[in-house]
Amino acid sequence: MDYQNEFKQRKPSPQEMMDLAEKARKLAYAPYSKYQVGAALLTKSGKIYLGCNVENASYGLTVCGERVAVFKAISEGETEFEALAIATPSRRGNGPCGSCRQVLREFCNDLTIYVRKEGDKILSFQLTDLLPKSFGPQNLDGSE
Ligand code: ZN
């Protein structure tokens, strides 16, 4: 996609990442909740993966946009991430759900997360603040 070439030479700004998340949001499949979410995930190698939520009539099989972006990146061989922008219909500064925080934590000790606030301001959070004392792969090593 053209935005991948645009960001080969420089990192996208938070606004540019949010614009890409908004682009992904337009593709959301959310006929049940009507809560369309888009995500743009920046890898340490400088690539961006987009995701949108994909709902299901069974409800329980719904996958969030953030996780779709992560799974797309992982399936392309990317495992190191730098930032994530999330576009939602809300201007409350909604962050990722608990499940997505845990999935992000699997691959990132920390990550910058951009969300929108009223007036289209962009707020940034750190994953370590959103998921304190988290459980990750390092917790499985068996040492005390
Ligand atoms: Zn989620």
Side-chain angles (χ1 to χ4, degrees), residues 64 66-67 97 100:
C64 300
E66 298 92 318
R67 275 180 282 156
C97 77
C100 288

Side-chain angles (χ1 to χ4, degrees), residues 15-81:
Q15 183 63 58
E16 288 170 324
M17 286 192 62
M18 190 59 71
D19 290 345
L20 289 170
E22 186 60 44
K23 175 181 170 175
R25 192 172 88 83
K26 290 180 171 53
L27 299 173
Y29 179 75
Y32 309 109
S33 72
K34 316 283 189 220
Y35 189 82
Q36 299 166 318
V37 177
L41 180 65
L42 177 65
T43 69
K44 288 201 171 161
S45 67
K47 288 186 182 168
I48 294 176
Y49 290 88
L50 304 182
C52 63
N53 53 335
V54 182
E55 294 185 347
N56 189 276
S58 72
Y59 284 54
L61 294 178
T62 293
V63 180
C64 300
E66 298 92 318
R67 275 180 282 156
V68 169
V70 169
F71 296 158
K72 282 173 71 177
I74 296 297
S75 72
E76 297 286 328
E78 298 284 347
T79 57
E80 295 187 311
F81 307 117

